[in-house]
């Protein structure tokens, strides 16, 4: 019997341990969320596929200056009266090698374009990943915010419930009027409604997080706290930070590609030289008329030179068109640089405002907390009525809620500033 009890105890401990491990698996930290987003997010995956496509295109371009080998074969049957001149049945096979000797520098320029295109798509992935990480961090702190609001709503309900109990006793004793009780009941109903909204909002935010980081469901809990003592990012030099922004890298690559496209169009106005050599083999009845042999083996070579002579200025205008496009892209780069400098300064100012807001709201909460304590003591002593306590509770709840919002906004503002200077990771 004792052995049976030991076995049951051991099984019970295993079940508890397994459930504990499962609960631990459902805890999600900010760093874990970011790591999952980098590998599982659909936008990030799509950006990786674009890089792979650009790499394949680059490999194709780099193969274009190598000799091309082509082979062909065909069988021929001719009827009367042609069979009097040609073999009635014959087969012909050929093997040719072609090599571009000179193309005005187009191949070399195309290689540079393909390499730059890979860099552009790499920067595009950096931008996509930065946007996804900011979205993940924003959603994470919103979840923390709403979770704290849920806890606050429960605390507020407890305060109201206790006050309602005291006022109900006073009303039953005939000390106060019923409207004092009704005011607290209305406030309690409002608190329950706000709690319901907060829980619904939390569920939506967790679904959004699951989609961002590639989880199949939202069966997880976030783990962190609204800590205002988190290390802050030092103010960066806006112009130095430009080099970290993927948008600037992308536009720089785009300007380079447009410039190289101009060289390609200029090369169209230059001669093209190509060489081809092909070997032939044919078989058929009396296919070689010189000796009535059934086999024929031969070869031929071609050196071709294509020289553009006159096209009514069409190629020249294409070059001008491309030059204007390059200048337009250059202006876009300069404009983006100026706007990003403003964006960085604005993000830093918003972060400073968020820090100050935390300090102010915490000061207000301390005052509201003291105010509520004093009103509660006086209510217990019978020197103030329930209405005064209710007002103090409402003021405390509002101040507490503003502290939660301020701390969450500080974390989000800090993440936004890191993204603006290209350091979110």
């Amino acid at each position: 019997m004792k052995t049976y009890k030991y076995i049951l105890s051991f099984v019970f401990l295993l079940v508890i341990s397994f459930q504990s491990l499962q609960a631990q698996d459902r805890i999600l930290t900010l760093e874990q969320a970011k790591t999952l987003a980098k590998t599982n997010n659909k936008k990030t995956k799509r950006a990786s596929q674009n890089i792979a496509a650009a790499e394949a295109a680059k490999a194709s371009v780099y193969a274009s200056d190598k000799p091309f080998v082509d082979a062909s074969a065909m069988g021929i049957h001719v009827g009367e009266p042609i069979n009097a001149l040609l073999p009635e049945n014959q087969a012909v096979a050929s093997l040719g090698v072609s090599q571009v000797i000179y193309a005005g520098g187009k191949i070399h320029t195309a290689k540079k374009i393909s390499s730059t295109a890979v860099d552009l798509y790499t920067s595009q992935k950096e931008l996509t990943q930065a946007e996804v990480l900011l979205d993940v961090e924003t959603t994470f702190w919103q979840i923390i915010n709403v979770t704290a609001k849920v806890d606050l709503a429960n605390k507020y309900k407890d305060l109201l419930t206790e006050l309602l109990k005291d006022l109900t006793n006073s009303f039953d004793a005939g000390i106060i009027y019923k409207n004092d009780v009704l005011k607290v009941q209305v406030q309690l109903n409002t608190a329950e409604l706000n709690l319901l909204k907060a829980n619904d909002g939390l569920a939506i935010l967790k679904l959004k997080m699951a989609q961002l980081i590639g989880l199949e469901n939202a069966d997880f809990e976030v783990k962190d706290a609204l800590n205002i003592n988190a290390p802050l990012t030092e103010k960066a030099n806006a112009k130095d930070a430009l080099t970290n922004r993927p948008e600037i890298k992308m536009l720089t690559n785009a300007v380079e590609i447009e410039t190289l496209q101009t060289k390609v169009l200029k090369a169209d106005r230059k001669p093209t030289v190509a060489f081809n050599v092909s070997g032939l083999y044919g078989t058929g009845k009396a296919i070689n008329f010189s000796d009535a042999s059934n086999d024929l083996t031969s070869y031929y070579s071609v050196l071709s030179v294509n020289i553009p002579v006159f096209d009514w200025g069409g190629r020249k205008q294409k070059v001008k068109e491309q030059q204007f496009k390059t200048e337009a892209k250059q202006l876009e780069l300069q404009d983006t640089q100026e706007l990003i400098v403003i964006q960085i300064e604005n993000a830093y100012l918003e972060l400073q405002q968020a820090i100050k807001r935390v300090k102010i709201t915490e000061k207000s909460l301390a005052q509201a907390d003291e105010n509520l304590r004093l009103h509660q003591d006086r209510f217990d002593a019978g020197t103030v009525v329930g209405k005064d306590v209710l007002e103090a509770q409402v003021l405390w709840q509002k101040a507490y809620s503003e502290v939660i919002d301020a701390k969450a906004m500080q974390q989000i503002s800090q993440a936004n500033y890191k993204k603006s200077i290209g350091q979110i990771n």
Side-chain angles (χ1 to χ4, degrees):
M1 187 66 180
K2 289 184 178 179
T3 304
Y4 179 71
K5 289 182 178 179
Y6 289 148
I7 293 175
L8 284 179
S9 300
F10 179 71
V11 172
F12 178 74
L13 289 174
L14 283 179
V15 171
I16 294 297
S17 300
F18 179 72
Q19 290 178 343
S20 177
L21 287 173
Q22 282 187 319
Q24 291 177 3
D25 290 341
R26 290 196 297 265
I27 298 298
L28 180 70
T29 66
L30 178 58
E31 292 306 317
Q32 289 173 342
K34 287 182 176 180
T35 301
L36 289 171
K38 290 177 182 179
T39 56
N40 297 339
N41 185 267
K42 300 297 188 300
K43 293 181 180 178
T44 304
K45 286 184 176 181
R46 186 166 66 244
S48 298
Q49 294 300 317
N50 289 335
I51 294 176
E55 291 281 4
K58 176 182 176 181
S60 175
V61 171
Y62 269 69
S64 61
D65 64 343
K66 304 294 190 298
F68 285 89
V69 180
D70 295 312
S72 64
M74 64 178 177
I76 303 174
H77 169 77
V78 297
E80 297 180 355
I82 302 178
N83 59 1
L85 301 174
L86 297 175
E88 185 174 347
N89 297 298
Q90 56 182 298
V92 179
S94 67
L95 180 67
V97 179
S98 301
Q99 173 68 55
V100 176
I101 299 175
Y102 177 75
K106 284 194 291 186
I107 296 178
H108 179 69
T109 305
K111 289 182 178 180
K112 288 185 177 180
I113 291 176
S114 64
S115 297
T116 306
V118 173
D119 295 337
L120 189 150
Y121 281 110
T122 302
S123 299
Q124 174 68 60
K125 182 181 178 181
E126 291 177 9
L127 175 60
T128 300
Q129 184 167 285
E131 292 172 344
V132 169
L133 290 179
L134 177 61
D135 203 1
V136 167
E137 191 155 349
T138 299
T139 304
F140 183 87
W141 291 116
Q142 286 174 341
I143 292 175
I144 295 294
N145 182 12
V146 177
T147 302
K149 290 286 187 70
V150 170
D151 293 339
L152 172 61
N154 285 317
K155 292 178 182 178
Y156 186 45
K157 276 184 61 181
D158 292 340
L159 288 175
L160 290 172
T161 301
E162 188 65 27
L163 178 60
L164 179 61
K165 180 180 178 181
D166 293 338
L167 292 180
T168 300
N169 293 335
S170 298
F171 172 72
D172 293 340
I175 300 174
I176 62 173
Y177 294 105
K178 188 175 183 179
N179 63 325
D180 292 330
V181 178
L182 293 175
K183 288 179 181 178
V184 179
Q185 287 177 333
V186 170
Q187 198 65 34
L188 184 58
N189 292 336
T190 302
E192 290 178 350
L193 179 60
N194 290 336
L195 179 59
L196 179 62
K197 291 180 179 178
N199 281 318
D200 290 344
L202 180 60
I204 295 299
L205 286 171
K206 289 174 70 175
L207 286 174
K208 179 181 179 182
M209 176 64 80
Q211 191 278 330
L212 285 171
I213 62 179
L215 297 182
E216 295 182 356
N217 55 63
D219 186 20
F220 62 85
E221 299 294 334
V222 296
K223 181 181 179 181
D224 217 316
L226 291 170
N227 182 13
I228 63 169
N229 296 320
L232 299 175
T233 304
E234 295 183 1
K235 185 178 182 181
N237 184 290
K239 292 185 178 179
D240 293 340
L242 287 175
T243 57
N244 297 326
R245 288 290 293 263
E247 296 96 322
I248 300 302
K249 296 178 184 178
M250 289 171 58
L251 284 172
T252 301
N253 291 331
V255 170
E256 184 178 355
I257 289 175
E258 295 290 349
T259 303
L260 292 171
Q261 289 286 4
T262 303
K263 292 183 177 181
V264 171
L265 293 174
K266 287 182 177 179
D268 286 339
R269 305 175 66 188
K270 297 179 180 179
T272 300
V273 181
F275 177 75
N276 172 269
V277 58
S278 297
L280 297 174
Y281 172 76
T283 183
K285 186 178 181 180
I287 193 172
N288 191 340
F289 297 106
S290 61
D291 57 5
S293 172
N294 292 333
D295 296 308
L296 173 66
T297 303
S298 185
Y299 73 93
Y300 67 89
S301 60
V302 177
L303 178 66
S304 63
V305 180
N306 182 21
I307 303 174
V309 178
F310 184 70
D311 65 347
W312 303 94
R315 294 185 181 89
K316 181 179 180 181
Q317 295 303 319
K318 285 183 179 180
V319 172
K320 286 186 176 181
E321 177 189 357
Q322 187 60 39
Q323 288 174 338
F324 289 134
K325 288 182 178 179
T326 303
E327 292 175 5
K329 188 63 69 174
Q330 182 68 45
L331 290 172
E332 182 182 353
L333 171 60
Q334 295 172 2
D335 185 53
T336 302
Q337 289 174 329
E338 294 170 357
L339 292 175
I340 287 179
V341 170
I342 297 173
Q343 184 186 81
I344 292 172
E345 292 296 331
N346 184 62
Y348 183 76
L349 290 176
E350 287 181 350
L351 176 58
Q352 299 309 305
Q353 291 174 6
I355 295 172
K356 292 177 182 177
R357 183 186 173 193
V358 169
K359 294 179 180 178
I360 294 172
T361 54
E362 284 194 321
K363 184 178 180 181
S364 297
L365 176 59
Q367 295 168 343
D369 194 38
E370 178 66 12
N371 179 61
L372 177 59
R373 186 187 65 80
L374 293 174
H375 275 77
Q376 187 64 52
D377 291 344
R378 291 170 183 170
F379 177 76
D380 295 338
T383 58
V384 298
V385 296
K387 176 184 177 183
D388 298 322
V389 178
L390 178 60
E391 290 177 351
Q393 288 181 351
V394 172
L395 184 63
W396 172 85
Q397 187 271 343
K398 181 180 179 182
Y400 203 142
S401 179
E402 288 178 350
V403 169
I404 294 173
D405 288 337
K407 289 182 177 181
M409 184 52 65
Q410 177 182 330
Q411 299 289 356
I412 293 172
S413 297
Q414 185 172 342
N416 185 57
Y417 179 66
K418 287 182 178 180
K419 178 183 178 296
S420 71
I421 60 177
Q423 293 184 1
I424 190 168
N425 49 45

